Amino acid sequence: MENKLELNKFLVEAKRNTYAGDRKSREIKLLDGGRELTFENGIYKYRDRYYGFNSFSGQEVVWQNEIPIWSMNYYGQIIKETYKTISGSVQRKITIDEIYGFLKKALRNVSVDSPYRGPSKFEFENLNYFRDFWGDLEMFRGKEFINNINTKVYCLDFHGGLIQK
């Protein structure tokens, strides 16, 4: 891989234009039950293919000039039903859609320094997103969580790296 910074910038652009963004790319429902999001810019092509909703599993791949150069696998799920206060002491369940909507907000904040998932921390209302990883673009492993106040409600594991020719 000649230019890792160029790849990092492309990954950020691709992620913001697919699942984390407003899906400017075309989402395809696959015959095998999966969904696929794609994004292209210049010599790079990105594909995110995933299966399931809760729980879910997927893989992202980047090609440079039609040659696969980078990949990341992930598995995540909502792990606990939880409640949020909406007025004084009135509480209601947080929906799956609210949790995944918050996740997308966090993932839109992906950075060029660590283009794997979202930022190390992100907060909105009572929800908190945390991400930690080890390694670099060549080989990495990480985890992300969402907490509602002090209750963990979502988790995801991810790993990947450069693909050698």
Side-chain angles (χ1 to χ4, degrees), residues 66-131:
E66 305 299 322
I67 298 169
I69 60 167
W70 183 88
S71 177
M72 180 178 78
N73 296 293
Y74 56 87
Y75 176 85
Q77 64 183 319
I78 293 174
I79 55 176
K80 184 172 179 73
E81 289 187 15
T82 187
Y83 295 84
K84 76 176 189 179
T85 302
I86 56 173
S87 170
S89 63
V90 176
Q91 294 188 333
R92 69 165 177 81
K93 277 188 180 180
I94 294 178
T95 67
I96 288 175
D97 289 340
E98 285 177 292
I99 293 171
Y100 285 146
F102 171 75
L103 175 62
K104 286 181 183 185
K105 286 179 185 179
L107 295 178
R108 279 193 284 274
N109 290 284
V110 62
S111 72
V112 171
D113 294 337
S114 56
Y116 316 110
R117 296 289 294 171
S120 60
K121 293 180 183 177
F122 180 78
E123 298 178 11
F124 183 76
E125 296 178 351
N126 289 337
L127 296 172
N128 299 290
Y129 170 92
F130 302 95
R131 187 260 314 133

Side-chain angles (χ1 to χ4, degrees), residues 6-25:
E6 187 177 292
L7 176 57
N8 284 15
K9 288 178 180 178
F10 173 76
L11 281 166
V12 168
E13 182 182 20
K15 289 166 183 274
R16 287 183 180 159
N17 282 284
T18 54
Y19 180 78
D22 58 8
R23 297 182 188 217
K24 292 177 186 174
S25 69

Side-chain angles (χ1 to χ4, degrees), residues 20-37:
D22 58 8
R23 297 182 188 217
K24 292 177 186 174
S25 69
R26 196 174 93 192
E27 181 180 67
I28 300 169
K29 291 182 181 179
L30 304 171
L31 294 175
D32 63 3
R35 293 182 181 264
E36 182 175 283
L37 298 157

